Amino acid sequence: MVAREVTVTNPVGLHARPATFFIQKANEFKSSIFVEKEERRINAKSLLGLLSLGIIKGTVITIMAEGPDDEEAVSALEELILSNFE
């Protein structure tokens, strides 16, 4: 399992449109991918789950993946967040 902490810098956090981009990217990988905020862990391929975390600008999340392409998945999702979804 690969895990990495990332601080969300996007002005609107991970809501609506950015969350959709995040999920689309997560679905490109075969690995199981999770996002953890504080004590809650959700499936990163679930829009409702991701929105339920209430991730705003400045929130530190942990992206975790386990599977054949876990390192690539975590790196790609981290890069997407750090680029502010551009």
Side-chain angles (χ1 to χ4, degrees):
M1 177 174 273
V2 177
R4 205 166 298 144
E5 281 191 353
V6 182
T7 301
V8 177
T9 58
N10 189 40
V12 296
L14 262 179
H15 295 284
R17 192 169 186 183
T20 301
F21 291 147
F22 188 90
I23 291 161
Q24 287 172 343
K25 180 60 75 177
N27 278 311
E28 293 176 10
F29 300 96
K30 294 180 182 178
S31 294
S32 296
I33 306 171
F34 303 94
V35 173
E36 189 172 81
K37 176 188 165 198
E38 298 162 358
E39 299 296 317
R40 291 192 57 211
R41 180 183 296 184
I42 58 95
N43 179 345
K45 298 177 181 182
S46 164
L47 180 60
L48 193 55
L50 196 58
L51 293 175
S52 74
L53 290 179
I55 299 169
I56 60 173
K57 181 179 180 178
T59 301
V60 177
I61 61 171
T62 303
I63 302 170
M64 297 170 283
E66 185 170 20
D69 51 5
D70 52 8
E71 182 64 46
E72 297 86 357
V74 170
S75 293
L77 291 168
E78 178 185 32
E79 185 179 314
L80 181 66
I81 289 173
L82 295 177
S83 74
N84 286 330
F85 302 90
E86 292 181 13

